[in-house]
Amino acid sequence: MEKRDGFKCATFGAAAPGSQQLATGTFGGRLQVWDLGAPAAPVFDTQAHASIVNAIDGFGGRARGYGPPEIATGGRDGAVRVWDVRQPEAPVAAFEPAEGGGARCAEAGGVAAGERMHGVGAGVGRRAAGVAVSGA
């Protein structure tokens, strides 16, 4: 299937166990969630950043006991935003760079202190934004 914007990054991290949902970040700054069983159109689509979504990670899922299905994106604009696909109007949290401090996303995912960590970070030097959520 051909898409208008190419995909820069993707994660199954916020999908409920057994689901076929894939979250993608595009070169056009969009966050989209696709049902791989019916990929004609995204089930969630929002303009997440002004330009490229450089990193994406997810946590939770729609099944009971997995927490809210949250997706963190890090953009070329230097911002890190956390999205809950049940609330498509705006991010539930946003970490913006200082005015005049353009940045590129640095990292997505990782492991810390022996437990699985999910996170996205963006920044240059001391002007950095990030979010990390520990998981099972």
Side-chain angles (χ1 to χ4, degrees), residues 1-7 26 32 34 39-42:
M1 175 159 284
E2 211 170 287
K3 304 295 178 203
R4 187 181 73 170
D5 293 329
F7 299 135
T26 73
Q32 298 171 316
W34 302 88

Side-chain angles (χ1 to χ4, degrees), residues 4-114:
R4 187 181 73 170
D5 293 329
F7 299 135
K8 168 74 172 160
C9 49
T11 183
F12 285 104
S19 80
Q20 294 183 313
Q21 290 193 335
L22 176 69
T24 60
T26 73
F27 282 95
R30 301 198 73 76
L31 166 61
Q32 298 171 316
V33 178
W34 302 88
D35 179 348
L36 298 181
V43 295
F44 177 84
D45 187 4
T46 192
Q47 187 68 43
H49 295 274
S51 65
I52 300 170
V53 176
N54 280 328
I56 189 170
D57 203 357
F59 185 77
R62 295 179 184 214
R64 182 179 165 167
Y66 288 93
E70 293 179 337
I71 301 168
T73 59
R76 185 177 184 144
D77 55 10
V80 172
R81 299 191 176 114
V82 180
W83 303 87
D84 181 334
V85 298
R86 302 167 303 172
Q87 302 174 27
E89 301 81 30
V92 294
F95 305 89
E96 306 291 334
E99 191 171 318
R104 295 175 190 250
C105 187
E107 183 180 345
V111 176

